[in-house]
Amino acid sequence: MKKINPLYKLSAGLFLVAIIIISIKNLTNKENIATYRKESDTNNTKVFFYISGCVFLGLVARQIQKSRINNIAKNTTQSISIKKNNTSESKNKKTGDLRREVKSYDIKGLEYRNIKDSDRGFFYGYISHIAHEKDKNAIQIINSDNKLIGYLPKGKSKLVKHLYEWHNGTLPCWGNITNDYYFRGSYVSFPLGSPANEINKYVQILEIDKTNTILKNKKSISPDEVFTIFDNYLKAHEIYLTLENKLILIDSPYNLIAGFTKRLEENKDWNRLIKLENYMHIINHMPKTTKPATLRRIEIAKSELAKI
């Protein structure tokens, strides 16, 4: 139930008080009261009644206007919400089937899955149907470490149907588990209805990304491993360019270059510095504050080798 505006209550009360005063005046109108006193009181009562009525009507008008504004805002919010839901639940109007496109959903049940810090951030894995006791159409999310991290929202019978019809019940996915305590903003995406060759491209990119993540997380990375990371990224980028739906992020390793070139310069490893010219695509991602130093080191390497 909606709460009544306190000012609305006050104005209604003043209006009633004015009516009561008029009634009392009419009932207790004694003949021995002076004519000028009667006229004065009557005028005061009329003024009080007039002011109360104006306040009452003004607040009624304000309440109506506020209600209209709230309805407009409510309809706008619903329109945005429906539009957002249609992105994930868009259907073919003729058949009622879900469209073949990349779908994205919030991940449910993360708070019950013993999520560790290593599980947070970007992940990939697969989704599959499971006959859950509370939801016969439950779709579980398994990461690349074969760990159950959560579920899709309930009521996805159409999605379950298409998972079996189009993908034999299992489909690769990727997403992000945020660092938020309540996991707000965590999501999962998957290419529903995509052709097998398109799905294979997604899988290749995700596997390359995982390999690079493992290498970058090592305490000490050798020069050859750094170049492996660069080569893997360029390979993933080439596959990415052939995707029909480019809705997957590839982590560029440009942040490794500044420290790597500095180490090569200190070790006078001129050949490897010059080799970096083959990775200008990655170098061009560097910020303006560090890119000039990298290019300068490559030029120094060229001049040093020219002396030999």
Side-chain angles (χ1 to χ4, degrees):
M1 180 179 286
K2 291 185 178 179
K3 292 183 178 180
I4 300 175
N5 193 317
L7 292 176
Y8 192 94
K9 288 182 177 180
L10 178 61
S11 63
L14 292 173
F15 185 75
L16 290 174
V17 168
I19 293 175
I20 292 170
I21 290 175
I22 291 173
S23 300
I24 292 173
K25 287 289 182 182
N26 290 333
L27 291 173
T28 60
N29 190 10
K30 296 181 179 180
E31 304 238 346
N32 58 354
I33 298 176
T35 303
Y36 73 90
R37 181 71 179 272
K38 280 196 315 201
E39 290 177 351
S40 177
D41 288 345
T42 302
N43 289 335
N44 290 338
T45 303
K46 288 180 179 179
V47 171
F48 184 80
F49 177 83
Y50 178 79
I51 293 173
S52 300
C54 289
V55 172
F56 177 78
L57 293 175
L59 287 174
V60 169
R62 185 182 173 205
Q63 192 72 15
I64 293 172
Q65 184 181 18
K66 185 178 179 181
S67 177
R68 290 180 63 188
I69 293 172
N70 287 340
N71 286 336
I72 293 171
K74 183 178 179 181
N75 290 336
T76 303
T77 304
Q78 287 177 341
S79 176
I80 294 171
S81 178
I82 291 170
K83 188 175 182 181
K84 182 179 178 182
N85 289 341
N86 283 343
T87 303
S88 297
E89 295 291 351
S90 53
K91 300 177 181 179
N92 186 312
K93 292 182 180 179
K94 293 182 179 180
T95 64
D97 293 335
L98 297 179
R99 290 181 181 174
R100 297 173 182 265
E101 60 186 1
V102 174
K103 306 286 187 183
S104 295
Y105 296 94
D106 294 334
I107 302 175
K108 302 298 182 181
L110 282 164
E111 62 272 24
Y112 306 113
R113 305 318 315 169
N114 188 27
I115 299 299
K116 300 178 181 178
D117 290 341
S118 58
D119 296 322
R120 295 179 183 266
F122 180 80
F123 73 88
Y124 83 93
Y126 66 91
I127 61 170
S128 64
H129 172 242
I130 181 172
H132 197 278
E133 58 180 1
K134 293 184 179 180
D135 182 10
K136 65 179 182 180
N137 294 312
I139 298 176
Q140 60 184 354
I141 305 166
I142 309 295
N143 67 11
S144 57
D145 295 323
N146 206 33
K147 177 179 180 178
L148 172 63
I149 59 175
Y151 298 88
L152 264 59
K154 291 182 178 180
K156 302 301 176 190
S157 57
K158 287 277 187 182
L159 185 54
V160 171
K161 171 191 170 187
H162 292 316
L163 271 180
Y164 284 108
E165 288 182 355
W166 294 342
H167 308 292
N168 296 321
T170 302
L171 181 62
C173 69
W174 63 89
N176 183 62
I177 300 177
T178 65
N179 288 321
D180 183 81
Y181 182 80
Y182 297 104
F183 304 106
R184 287 170 293 198
S186 300
Y187 71 93
V188 61
S189 299
F190 46 88
L192 183 68
S194 293
N197 62 336
E198 184 91 349
I199 293 175
N200 288 336
K201 291 176 184 178
Y202 282 114
V203 172
Q204 290 177 49
I205 292 173
L206 295 170
E207 289 178 346
I208 290 171
D209 183 82
K210 182 178 181 180
T211 300
N212 276 1
T213 300
I214 293 172
L215 288 174
K216 286 187 288 186
N217 288 338
K218 292 180 65 175
K219 292 183 179 179
S220 178
I221 311 175
S222 69
D224 289 338
E225 287 174 331
V226 174
F227 280 111
T228 298
I229 292 172
F230 293 163
D231 289 332
N232 286 342
Y233 168 76
L234 293 178
K235 182 180 178 181
H237 184 71
E238 289 179 5
I239 299 172
Y240 170 81
L241 294 176
T242 65
L243 286 172
E244 184 178 347
N245 292 305
K246 296 178 175 61
L247 296 177
I248 187 170
L249 298 176
I250 306 176
D251 188 14
S252 174
Y254 71 86
N255 56 332
L256 298 177
I257 294 178
F260 182 52
T261 55
K262 183 178 180 181
R263 184 172 51 164
L264 293 178
E265 182 183 27
E266 291 172 351
N267 296 333
K268 297 184 178 180
D269 194 342
W270 311 124
N271 287 317
R272 284 197 172 100
L273 269 171
I274 293 176
K275 185 179 178 181
L276 282 170
E277 282 191 310
N278 298 325
Y279 303 93
M280 288 304 299
H281 174 78
I282 301 174
I283 292 174
N284 288 334
H285 290 165
M286 297 178 69
K288 295 180 180 179
T289 53
T290 56
K291 181 179 176 181
T294 295
L295 297 176
R296 178 183 58 80
R297 290 177 183 130
I298 293 174
E299 292 302 319
I300 291 173
K302 289 180 180 178
S303 62
E304 290 295 329
L305 286 178
K307 296 177 183 178
I308 299 177

